[in-house]
Amino acid sequence: MAKGTLPVDMELRKAFQELQSKMITTTQQIKLSNAQIDTLKRTVQHSKLVDQEVISLPPNTRTYEGVGRMFILQSVLDIQKNLQLKVKASEEKMKSLETNKVYLEKNLKESQNNLRELIVSKQQLR
Amino acid sequence: MAGKQQQIDVSQLPAPQLNQLTQQLDQEIEFFSNSMNQLKLAQGKFVESQECLNKVSPDNLSKDILVPLTSSMYVPGQLSDVQNVLVDIGTGYYVEMEVSKGKQYFKRKVEYITKQMEKIQPVLQEKYRMKQATVEILQSKIQAMSLQQQGAAAKA
Amino acid sequence: MAAKGKQSAEQIVAGFQELRQQQRAFATKTSELEMDMKEHELVIETLKEVEDDRKCFRMVGGVLVERTVKDVLPALISNREQMGKIVETLTEKLESKGTEINKYREQHNLKIKGEESKEIEKPDQEVKSGGVLVAKES
Amino acid sequence: MADVQKKLQADLEKYQQLQKDYQKVVSQRQQLDGQLNENTLVKEELCRLEEGANVYKMIGPVLVKQAIPESKQNVQKRIDYITGELKRHETSIKDFEKKQETCRESLAKYQQQIQQAQVKAAARS
Amino acid sequence: MATTESMPEQTKHAGIPLAEFVEDVDSYMQRASNESAEVVLKRLDEQHNKYKFMEYNLNTKKARLKSQIPDIKTSLDIVRHLQSRKDSTDPVETRFLLSDQVYAKAKIPPTEKVCLWLGANVMLEYTIDDATSLLEKNLDAASKNLTQVDDDLSYIRDQTTTLEVNMARVYNWDVKRRQATQGAKS
Amino acid sequence: METEQLLYHLAEIEELAEDIISDKHQMVELDKKRQKTREAIRLLSKDKKSQKTWVCFGNMFIKLPKEDTKKLLEKDFNGLDTEIADVSKGLKPKVNKLRDLEHKEDVKGFGLNAMSRDEIQAVEALL
């Protein structure tokens, strides 16, 4: 390829650069979301394990919920309720992260397509 | 100092100086990532405190609790006030506030730290970018040098 | 051409570094578990010496459960045994990782300066507040 | 020749000492910066309080109730003090930078002299 | 951890090998295991690393003890206070650290019992008297351990210095030997 | 070859100096604590309004009658006094010893030949 025979198309160049930086930030965001989803998954799993443990306790066992450094006496039922709430919240968070991920991926693809179209239209123009 | 370096054309620097520059950048990167980690840690603590305050609610008044006397000793007791908490605002000052005010306090703190992190993040990224560029230039220089030496050796 | 050859050399080093990283991870995990086992040992010894029906709490994932010594002790003992088993498999993995690394090193003719003894297995410096028990001189 | 070397050595030591002192002052300034920041945040919190809020100050191991205006005044006094100290450190940092610069120059001069002498000696032999 | 192997063991600093001081480098280098200065220096360097590693471990231990001791002391203070209030009918009013920077109010009714964290996620109930004696015992043990650790640390520092001197001596011996052989050649 | 003696000597001096610095630091800290305790006692005597006061125990505060608190603080104060006295008692011989050591080194220094090149190198390699 001989250098300098074609004038660099500034518009194309700019579009390329934009796409590149977009790709970097998007992949970063997706990575971050994946990591968050993983931790959330672990929290859910953990909560379910604790739930099993608590169910297997003999009736009338006194259980305390950790709040900061203190422990509050809480009925097994309440503890289960709180665990379920936690699981639910985590699952919702995961869901929103997933939808966000899908959106990001779609968005990126669209940008790629736009660039492709731009190239095609430039070629046709020439 | 950092501002000056950005104006120098890095590709013009000799190899030893480039090496020094990467080392300096490494140090700076470590410094900033350390601050980031500390900020994250502090933020986590504030979030936790904020969440704890949710449990200081009327339905927990007089409830049996285990009171942390030290980090390794607890005694049975009861929560005796769910309206107010004492907040350590730093430098030896403590303020009694309503639970809702306490929550606001920690929310503010979290926001403050987030802002600090947002300030550091781009600087950190810029340092990473600069380091990468410097390393690349350094490597190409070393390669060119070794090629030159090979050439000289072949001639001799 | 030259660039290609260089890149693969970099890849070799990167692969080696990754193996070492895995090895180190195994080593840290092992030493963590061993510390945990020691702690369990200490607690088990303490509980063995007190009355069976003494009130005793056990923390399960953020939930504190009020039981008695006779309920908690067997759980602790089985816990310790499980940890022992994990330590065993981890040690095996650590060893096989070591041979893997040596093989890799021979295969690619890598020479490492004598810095490995320094790096491997530095326990994390985190100071756990832990319990009230003070370990006997070990 | 030996004389220059001795001077170079002396200057080098001086330079190293300067660097050490410089670093010390810089880290002190950093500490002061932190303290200023913390006190400013406390001041902000105190300013936010409604009248009649209970403010305590820890003195020794005792919590002592303090009126809000008094607390504000105390913290302001500390802020003023730290700001003064910061200014002092700032000038001393600038001073150190200047001293280091002159030291570096004289070091370079001696080094050059030695190099020249060495070249001459090499040419002679 | 640190292997002692054939090292002479000192009972006072169990597990920490003594660094033998090289009095006479010439005769030291004559020993069968010391084939060359390089080999010896490498071995000494390895030993040096071992000492550094032990020092690091001891420092970690020291940090742990140093954070444990004040905690035990405060626990003792409070337990003694509770003991003095055993016969009173009024609850003790407290503000306890609920979470970072937050204190909540709690009432502690007169009590005979306190709970102590043993570790391994287990907390055990003690009578106040038992807790006091356990804490006293542990405080004593922790303080003794701390002095032992300090002792060991300064012992290690001594050994490290000896080792460093040995390294310097062997190094110098080698430099002189090389200069001598070179002088003989030219 | 005086290298190793010198090294030992330097190590000894350094260790002692570190010890002295940490002692002095401790004295300063203790004195600060003592002053704070005195200030607290003064404030407690001045304030006539409340009967009880919050006293810090590590991570918690316990509400105590003022008179009890004052007694406690006075005990603390006296304890700190003796502690400071103890440290300063131990500090004096250490300072003297350090002075001796440094002085000895000076005297010895006159008798020393200049270090040879490789001796300097060896020392540098160690430092």
Side-chain angles (χ1 to χ4, degrees):
Chain A
M1 256 230 279
K3 251 194 255 172
T5 43
L6 281 174
V8 185
D9 188 322
M10 285 317 275
E11 197 186 348
L12 257 184
R13 194 175 152 170
K14 205 172 150 226
F16 260 116
Q17 274 171 348
E18 267 168 18
L19 183 69
Q20 203 184 12
S21 71
K22 193 167 192 172
M23 254 171 82
I24 292 170
T25 44
T26 311
T27 37
Q28 258 177 354
Q29 275 171 319
I30 288 175
K31 242 194 218 162
L32 191 73
S33 310
N34 280 336
Q36 280 173 321
I37 289 170
D38 274 352
T39 23
L40 285 168
K41 262 188 198 152
R42 242 173 286 139
T43 341
V44 170
Q45 216 178 6
H46 185 252
S47 302
K48 284 184 176 159
L49 276 174
V50 176
D51 191 54
Q52 274 174 12
E53 188 79 26
V54 173
I55 290 175
S56 68
L57 289 171
N60 299 327
T61 308
R62 281 161 72 92
T63 47
Y64 296 78
E65 196 189 356
V67 175
R69 294 154 40 96
M70 124 183 116
F71 294 101
I72 295 190
L73 185 70
Q74 211 82 274
S75 70
V76 173
L77 234 62
D78 279 341
I79 283 184
Q80 281 180 298
K81 214 171 73 196
N82 283 339
L83 283 171
Q84 275 156 14
L85 279 176
K86 209 163 127 190
V87 169
K88 215 170 153 194
S90 301
E91 275 168 351
E92 262 161 34
K93 188 103 190 278
M94 276 200 280
K95 226 184 253 163
S96 84
L97 279 169
E98 290 285 359
T99 35
N100 190 244
K101 237 172 70 183
V102 171
Y103 166 78
L104 284 171
E105 276 159 2
K106 214 176 91 192
N107 193 262
L108 186 64
K109 209 156 252 152
E110 248 167 49
S111 308
Q112 278 170 334
N113 284 337
N114 285 344
L115 185 65
R116 221 165 270 143
E117 271 166 32
L118 187 67
I119 294 170
V120 171
S121 69
K122 294 258 173 190
Q123 277 171 342
Q124 279 168 347
L125 265 178
R126 205 178 292 133
Chain B
M1 276 234 291
K4 241 190 236 167
Q5 265 146 17
Q6 275 169 332
Q7 280 160 18
I8 298 170
D9 185 358
V10 181
S11 61
Q12 298 303 313
L13 286 175
Q17 251 166 308
L18 279 173
N19 204 9
Q20 215 182 353
L21 185 60
T22 40
Q23 273 171 10
Q24 196 194 328
L25 283 168
D26 267 336
Q27 268 177 12
E28 285 173 358
I29 286 171
E30 200 188 297
F31 175 79
F32 285 118
S33 6
N34 264 344
S35 331
M36 274 305 256
N37 283 339
Q38 271 167 2
L39 286 171
K40 252 181 229 163
L41 224 67
Q43 195 183 38
K45 280 185 179 169
F46 287 139
V47 171
E48 202 200 322
S49 291
Q50 200 185 342
E51 279 168 6
C52 276
L53 285 177
N54 288 330
K55 298 279 175 174
V56 185
S57 59
D59 43 319
N60 282 329
L61 180 65
S62 313
K63 238 196 199 153
D64 277 348
I65 60 167
L66 286 167
V67 187
L69 300 180
T70 61
S71 61
S72 56
M73 187 163 76
Y74 284 73
V75 280
Q78 287 93 34
L79 270 185
S80 58
D81 182 357
V82 291
Q83 306 296 324
N84 297 294
V85 285
L86 190 71
V87 177
D88 174 359
I89 60 167
T91 72
Y93 281 97
Y94 295 75
V95 176
E96 195 166 46
M97 14 179 134
E98 275 169 41
V99 172
S100 61
K101 288 265 166 65
K103 283 184 203 166
Q104 282 168 19
Y105 171 85
F106 287 110
K107 202 173 151 227
R108 275 203 302 280
K109 289 280 148 184
V110 171
E111 278 163 8
Y112 175 76
I113 289 191
T114 313
K115 260 191 215 138
Q116 299 290 311
M117 294 209 290
E118 277 166 1
K119 267 186 223 158
I120 294 180
Q121 189 60 39
V123 181
L124 189 61
Q125 249 154 11
E126 173 65 14
K127 296 278 171 204
Y128 268 122
R129 207 188 52 72
M130 265 174 74
K131 195 203 150 193
Q132 209 180 353
T134 321
V135 168
E136 269 165 26
I137 294 167
L138 185 62
Q139 266 171 355
S140 68
K141 282 224 162 145
I142 289 170
Q143 220 172 3
M145 252 174 1
S146 69
L147 276 176
Q148 225 171 24
Q149 272 172 354
Q150 274 169 13
K155 261 183 225 157
Chain C
M1 272 303 280
K4 216 175 180 183
K6 193 161 173 280
Q7 201 186 20
S8 74
E10 267 164 18
Q11 276 169 350
I12 289 171
V13 174
F16 182 71
Q17 229 90 44
E18 200 185 314
L19 283 174
R20 284 275 291 266
Q21 189 66 44
Q22 289 166 353
Q23 189 189 33
R24 224 168 286 155
F26 282 144
T28 343
K29 192 95 213 159
T30 315
S31 72
E32 262 173 38
L33 268 171
E34 274 169 352
M35 290 234 290
D36 212 358
M37 267 174 78
K38 252 191 213 159
E39 197 174 303
H40 270 72
E41 196 59 51
L42 220 57
V43 175
I44 288 169
E45 288 314 309
T46 313
L47 290 189
K48 273 183 182 163
E49 278 164 29
V50 302
E51 321 84 79
D52 265 3
D53 53 354
R54 207 72 159 248
K55 204 190 268 182
C56 183
F57 300 82
R58 183 159 184 249
M59 179 114 109
V60 187
V63 178
L64 194 68
V65 184
E66 191 177 305
R67 312 291 312 261
T68 55
V69 169
K70 64 174 179 297
D71 303 315
V72 173
L73 198 48
L76 278 185
I77 291 172
S78 98
N79 221 345
R80 180 193 53 184
E81 272 163 15
Q82 268 176 325
M83 278 192 263
K85 275 182 201 144
I86 301 173
V87 167
E88 256 171 52
T89 51
L90 269 177
T91 320
E92 273 167 32
K93 274 189 189 165
L94 193 62
E95 272 165 24
S96 70
K97 195 50 81 180
T99 41
E100 193 186 337
I101 285 176
N102 280 338
K103 225 186 254 166
Y104 190 91
R105 195 189 294 183
E106 268 169 41
Q107 202 182 341
H108 299 285
N109 203 15
L110 286 172
K111 282 209 182 87
I112 274 70
K113 286 176 203 149
E115 36 92 42
E116 51 189 326
S117 54
K118 260 187 262 181
E119 277 203 72
I120 294 175
E121 204 186 343
K122 258 197 182 172
D124 47 348
Q125 217 175 357
E126 176 200 6
V127 181
K128 260 205 338 197
S129 59
V132 290
L133 297 180
V134 175
K136 312 219 166 52
E137 262 312 287
S138 52
Chain D
M1 186 60 206
D3 203 38
V4 180
Q5 206 123 38
K6 229 178 236 164
K7 275 186 192 156
L8 179 77
Q9 192 63 37
D11 254 18
L12 205 62
E13 268 164 34
K14 198 173 125 196
Y15 184 62
Q16 276 161 353
Q17 189 56 44
L18 270 175
Q19 262 182 326
K20 238 195 222 160
D21 293 344
Y22 174 71
Q23 244 130 41
K24 211 162 124 195
V25 184
V26 168
S27 82
Q28 274 171 351
R29 180 186 59 177
Q30 230 166 23
Q31 235 176 328
L32 284 170
D33 256 335
Q35 284 172 5
L36 181 64
N37 192 23
E38 205 186 342
N39 278 292
T40 318
L41 287 175
V42 172
K43 176 94 194 290
E44 270 173 36
E45 284 309 322
L46 290 174
C47 287
R48 235 177 243 284
L49 292 177
E50 284 159 26
E51 233 175 288
N54 284 335
V55 176
Y56 299 87
K57 186 177 186 323
M58 176 102 104
I59 292 165
V62 185
L63 273 191
V64 181
K65 209 188 249 185
Q66 201 170 58
I68 298 181
E70 199 188 336
S71 307
K72 279 189 203 164
Q73 227 173 25
N74 275 345
V75 178
Q76 187 56 49
K77 250 191 253 163
R78 274 206 294 232
I79 290 176
D80 294 343
Y81 172 75
I82 295 169
T83 321
E85 282 294 284
L86 264 176
K87 269 196 196 122
R88 211 169 54 82
H89 278 74
E90 211 65 61
T91 32
S92 123
I93 281 171
K94 285 222 179 81
D95 196 37
F96 271 122
E97 274 165 0
K98 239 183 252 156
K99 274 188 192 152
Q100 279 187 40
E101 188 57 38
T102 34
C103 209
R104 257 199 299 269
E105 276 164 16
S106 99
L107 270 175
K109 204 178 71 197
Y110 290 137
Q111 255 165 350
Q112 221 174 3
Q113 280 177 11
I114 289 170
Q115 259 169 10
Q116 279 167 353
Q118 273 169 345
V119 169
K120 262 186 212 158
R124 234 180 279 142
S125 67
Chain E
M1 234 186 268
T3 46
T4 31
E5 284 157 38
S6 60
M7 294 289 183
E9 240 196 20
Q10 280 215 339
T11 39
K12 212 179 152 228
H13 303 283
I16 306 173
L18 175 87
E20 171 206 13
F21 178 61
V22 179
E23 194 71 56
D24 178 1
V25 186
D26 277 321
S27 64
Y28 177 72
M29 292 306 292
Q30 292 300 313
R31 287 187 204 170
S33 56
N34 300 342
E35 44 197 272
S36 72
E38 221 168 86
V39 171
V40 174
L41 282 174
K42 197 177 169 221
R43 200 182 57 223
L44 290 177
D45 190 49
E46 267 167 27
Q47 212 184 342
H48 194 258
N49 281 344
K50 260 186 204 162
Y51 281 134
K52 284 281 157 218
F53 183 64
M54 282 190 259
E55 192 181 359
Y56 175 86
N57 277 329
L58 281 172
N59 274 323
T60 321
K61 200 168 160 187
K62 187 175 166 176
R64 204 182 50 231
L65 285 169
K66 274 205 152 171
S67 76
Q68 218 177 3
I69 287 173
D71 196 61
I72 300 178
K73 271 189 185 154
T74 336
S75 297
L76 259 176
D77 274 351
I78 297 174
V79 129
R80 284 184 185 134
H81 179 70
L82 290 177
Q83 195 162 28
S84 74
R85 304 264 320 224
K86 224 158 52 175
D87 302 320
S88 147
T89 46
D90 314 330
V92 179
E93 274 184 272
T94 68
R95 292 188 194 262
F96 64 95
L97 187 64
L98 171 63
S99 175
D100 209 53
Q101 293 193 346
V102 191
Y103 293 78
K105 257 190 199 170
K107 280 196 168 110
I108 300 170
T111 176
E112 278 281 331
K113 306 239 166 90
V114 295
C115 304
L116 296 175
W117 261 138
L118 301 183
N121 289 327
V122 172
M123 188 158 74
L124 185 61
E125 194 182 66
Y126 284 88
T127 61
I128 285 188
D129 290 343
D130 283 354
T132 314
S133 64
L134 178 74
L135 288 169
E136 275 166 357
K137 210 179 79 203
N138 282 343
L139 182 60
D140 190 49
S143 318
K144 275 197 185 124
N145 279 0
L146 188 61
T147 27
Q148 176 69 38
V149 168
D150 272 333
D151 257 24
D152 284 353
L153 273 172
S154 81
Y155 179 72
I156 279 195
R157 249 173 253 141
D158 279 354
Q159 301 314 305
T160 316
T161 315
T162 308
L163 208 59
E164 281 165 0
V165 172
N166 286 349
M167 282 161 89
R169 304 195 81 182
V170 172
Y171 180 84
N172 284 347
W173 177 88
D174 192 44
V175 169
K176 277 190 185 140
R177 191 188 53 90
R178 270 192 224 178
Q179 279 169 348
T181 47
Q182 235 173 28
K185 259 189 226 157
S186 62
Chain F
M1 269 237 316
E2 282 93 358
T3 325
E4 67 272 9
Q5 276 172 346
L6 183 63
L7 257 175
Y8 267 133
H9 199 69
L10 287 177
E12 202 180 348
I13 288 181
E14 201 178 314
E15 208 175 306
L16 197 58
E18 252 173 53
D19 204 17
I20 289 172
I21 290 173
S22 93
D23 274 5
K24 281 192 176 158
H25 192 71
Q26 206 192 345
M27 288 256 286
V28 172
E29 288 296 306
L30 286 172
D31 193 54
K32 239 190 233 163
K33 229 168 139 185
R34 187 174 66 161
Q35 278 177 32
K36 283 280 163 201
T37 313
R38 182 155 53 193
E39 195 184 343
I41 295 174
R42 215 188 53 230
L43 280 168
L44 281 183
S45 315
K46 219 169 61 181
D47 175 45
K48 297 268 188 278
K49 273 178 277 173
S50 43
Q51 289 298 304
K52 284 183 161 190
T53 186
W54 291 104
V55 184
C56 177
F57 286 83
N59 274 329
M60 73 175 325
F61 300 98
I62 297 180
K63 204 169 195 178
L64 291 180
K66 251 172 43 187
E67 286 314 306
D68 292 9
T69 311
K70 254 164 72 182
K71 266 183 223 150
L72 220 84
L73 288 176
E74 267 149 22
K75 217 177 95 199
D76 273 4
F77 187 81
N78 293 332
L80 285 166
D81 251 356
T82 45
E83 219 174 315
I84 291 171
D86 280 353
V87 178
S88 86
K89 219 191 277 164
L91 193 59
K92 246 184 212 148
K94 280 182 199 164
V95 173
N96 282 339
K97 197 180 167 199
L98 181 70
R99 203 174 291 141
D100 279 356
L101 279 175
E102 282 177 335
H103 183 60
K104 229 197 282 169
E105 197 223 334
D106 275 345
V107 173
K108 220 198 243 164
F110 292 120
L112 278 175
N113 297 320
M115 278 199 275
S116 70
R117 219 187 135 69
D118 46 69
E119 276 171 338
I120 292 174
Q121 264 179 350
V123 174
E124 270 170 357
L126 294 176
L127 299 180

